[in-house]
Amino acid sequence: MNKAIGYSDTIPLIKEVNFPSGKIVLHLMDGRTISLPIEKFPEIEKLTTAQKRRYKTLTGMGLMFDDCDTVFHVSDFLGKFFSVDTIPVLKKPVKNYAATSARQLAEPKVKYKKV
């Protein structure tokens, strides 16, 4: 039986948000804590401390503030999501991604010619 390693089969959902000095910290429902520089999110950075406390999570997938028109998706904080199938160097999908080395994923096999 194959058991998932790490968080590869976990959907990241926001549970709680904090704002320590110069940071935004997301506490996810799966136990992870993500800390990011607040300057990467100027719409949130310009809010006052009281305004930052008035946030709502949207089923864990989104974050919005009463005094901000922007709705932030969890991927805005975690980065761009992509499937292993979309990496251009792979010719076929990887069935056991956890057992595949980073070298296999990042570097295509190349034949070198003697000069």
Side-chain angles (χ1 to χ4, degrees):
M1 181 165 135
N2 289 340
K3 186 175 179 183
I5 296 172
Y7 294 94
S8 62
D9 65 342
T10 304
I11 297 172
L13 299 173
I14 301 167
K15 178 180 178 183
E16 184 182 347
V17 182
N18 299 89
F19 299 94
S21 181
K23 303 276 184 197
I24 179 170
V25 178
L26 304 173
H27 301 277
L28 303 183
M29 291 186 188
D30 58 26
R32 288 182 283 175
T33 301
I34 312 297
S35 178
L36 305 154
I38 193 77
E39 73 248 7
K40 289 288 191 176
F41 306 93
E43 299 93 341
I44 300 174
E45 185 179 30
K46 71 180 181 182
L47 297 173
T48 66
T49 302
Q51 290 172 321
K52 289 175 187 170
R53 284 191 203 124
R54 292 193 302 269
Y55 71 86
K56 295 178 183 76
T57 60
L58 308 170
T59 64
M61 296 295 288
L63 179 66
M64 63 181 289
F65 298 85
D66 290 346
D67 299 307
C68 180
D69 293 333
T70 305
V71 176
F72 301 91
H73 188 271
V74 69
S75 65
D76 295 329
F77 303 103
L78 295 176
K80 183 178 179 182
F81 290 107
F82 62 90
S83 167
V84 175
D85 299 334
T86 64
I87 299 173
V89 298
L90 296 177
K91 302 295 184 218
K92 59 184 177 181
V94 175
K95 292 186 179 170
N96 188 356
Y97 179 73
T100 305
S101 73
R103 185 178 189 82
Q104 288 173 302
L105 292 175
E107 297 179 15
K109 291 184 179 178
V110 178
K111 291 185 179 179
Y112 296 96
K113 294 180 182 178
K114 290 186 178 181
V115 181

